[in-house]
Amino acid sequence: MRKQILPIASLVIAVLLPSIVSGKVSRRKISIFRPEVPESTVLSQKEGTLEFTYDYSFSVDSVGAVDGAREEDKMILQIAPDGLSKFTSLTNLTVDSITLNTTPEQRTQAIVEGKMKQGDFMNVFKNYPAAGRLTVADKVCDDWFRYEEETPDFDWELTDSVKTILGYECKGAICTFRGREWTVFYAEDIPVMEGPWKLHGLPGLIMEAKADGDRYSFVCIGIKNNSLRPITLYDIPYNKTSRQKFYDTKHRFDINPYAYFEATGGGKVTVSDENGNPIPDAYDPIEIPFEYIERDWRDK
């Protein structure tokens, strides 16, 4: 499939090769890179902020057609002394830093060399904008969305399982949350009732969390006790929405990304094969072979 690349002064768009399962397109992707970093609001920059790095991965083939089909990213969980926390992509923070400290020519070369690959756009804030509230900021195609909800409750059941992670003895717990069975391990020696993504509520940091076996996985791989990195939020005009409407929009994009891009004002996407011939069914909706981390969004 041919890529379409627009000038670095505006944005870079790459139409990526589709995933094929049994002769059928199972997933299409479009990558958009903007050569500027939005201004950010500093929510917290306090001495004593904790920072935990997680390996994050999830199956992009929950129907089992392709074994081992997964996407991966490095994430960080920042926890301020006042309880404010942020879970975000370390990959994207690194790309932002490179973008701010390179010339347009250097950025163009880095993109061509594949050094500016972006990570997951989820940003989960707990106890923001107020205690007991949870805010999610996430990107679909080239649009940023934001929704709030009450910090969810987790009905944890403690187990007898024990595991050592990064030298910490971790105890096990399980629960069902929004359509998935979660198995986690938490460290009581790190006395914060926090965890990756939306997970929280145990008497110690959640160091490992896996849903439905290994469909979604978070594993802590690094700890920094006094991080100087500020907790920030992009200062941009978000599309305010609800959790269910966000997933509905994400689904509309995932089943037909090229059409979504054009319909939302992104421009024209040219999709052709290696010989330059147009692909006639590139704009046909497809059903993606996986479900999102919260499976209950269709029920609302």
Side-chain angles (χ1 to χ4, degrees):
M1 181 175 293
R2 178 170 296 176
K3 297 179 180 179
Q4 179 190 42
I5 301 180
L6 300 183
I8 190 69
S10 54
L11 70 164
V12 176
I13 304 171
V15 175
L16 307 180
L17 291 172
S19 300
I20 308 293
V21 177
S22 301
K24 295 182 179 181
V25 175
S26 63
R27 195 175 188 198
R28 298 188 179 107
K29 297 185 70 176
I30 183 169
S31 177
I32 300 172
F33 176 77
R34 288 195 173 273
E36 70 276 352
V37 178
E39 294 291 328
S40 293
T41 298
V42 175
L43 304 180
S44 179
Q45 190 171 19
K46 298 178 179 179
E47 185 177 351
T49 295
L50 302 174
E51 189 171 288
F52 304 92
T53 304
Y54 288 82
D55 272 338
Y56 168 49
S57 69
F58 65 95
S59 171
V60 293
D61 176 38
S62 56
V63 298
V66 180
D67 291 337
R70 301 184 71 83
E71 289 196 0
E72 301 177 343
D73 199 4
K74 288 282 190 300
M75 311 291 289
I76 63 168
L77 172 63
Q78 299 169 278
I79 308 173
D82 61 2
L84 170 70
S85 72
K86 177 185 180 182
F87 187 69
T88 192
S89 169
L90 181 58
T91 302
N92 287 342
L93 290 179
T94 302
V95 170
D96 282 356
S97 178
I98 294 173
T99 302
L100 289 170
N101 293 285
T102 55
T103 66
E105 293 75 19
Q106 290 172 326
R107 291 194 293 272
T108 300
Q109 184 60 35
I111 292 169
V112 172
E113 295 174 356
K115 296 179 180 178
M116 299 289 277
K117 182 180 178 181
Q118 294 174 310
D120 199 294
F121 287 104
M122 79 162 99
N123 292 267
V124 180
F125 299 84
K126 299 191 189 87
N127 294 316
Y128 180 80
R133 298 291 292 175
L134 183 146
T135 296
V136 172
D138 207 332
K139 193 177 185 184
V140 176
C141 193
D142 202 30
D143 302 318
W144 277 97
F145 294 83
R146 176 174 165 177
Y147 69 85
E148 294 179 21
E149 60 178 324
E150 294 291 331
T151 302
D153 292 325
F154 290 82
D155 188 17
W156 295 110
E157 177 185 342
L158 305 185
T159 70
D160 295 330
S161 300
V162 178
K163 176 181 287 191
T164 300
I165 302 173
L166 296 181
Y168 290 90
E169 181 181 275
C170 299
K171 297 180 179 180
I174 58 175
C175 79
T176 299
F177 180 69
R178 294 177 178 172
R180 293 198 183 275
E181 300 291 330
W182 285 92
T183 299
V184 307
F185 287 89
Y186 63 97
E188 291 183 330
D189 289 339
I190 305 177
V192 290
M193 299 178 69
E194 261 284 10
W197 184 54
K198 296 182 180 182
L199 303 172
H200 72 108
L202 285 163
L205 179 77
I206 297 173
M207 301 279 283
E208 178 181 294
K210 297 192 176 185
D212 296 342
D214 201 30
R215 294 297 184 196
Y216 283 82
S217 173
F218 303 97
V219 180
C220 188
I221 59 170
I223 298 173
K224 192 170 185 178
N225 288 321
N226 193 14
S227 173
L228 298 178
R229 192 196 312 263
I231 298 177
T232 61
L233 172 67
Y234 281 153
D235 186 13
I236 55 177
Y238 293 94
N239 295 289
K240 300 294 182 65
T241 188
S242 66
R243 183 173 69 92
Q244 287 74 26
K245 289 180 180 179
F246 168 74
Y247 277 115
D248 181 69
T249 301
K250 184 176 177 65
H251 185 255
R252 286 192 290 111
F253 170 71
D254 283 338
I255 65 174
N256 207 343
Y258 314 146
Y260 181 99
F261 179 73
E262 291 193 0
T264 55
K268 179 67 177 177
V269 176
T270 301
V271 186
S272 56
D273 61 23
E274 296 297 337
N275 297 318
N277 301 311
I279 299 176
D281 62 350
Y283 286 81
D284 293 345
I286 59 173
E287 280 302 320
I288 53 177
F290 66 96
E291 260 291 3
Y292 300 124
I293 191 168
E294 295 173 291
R295 301 186 66 186
D296 67 333
W297 66 276
R298 296 178 188 268
D299 303 332
K300 303 297 182 180

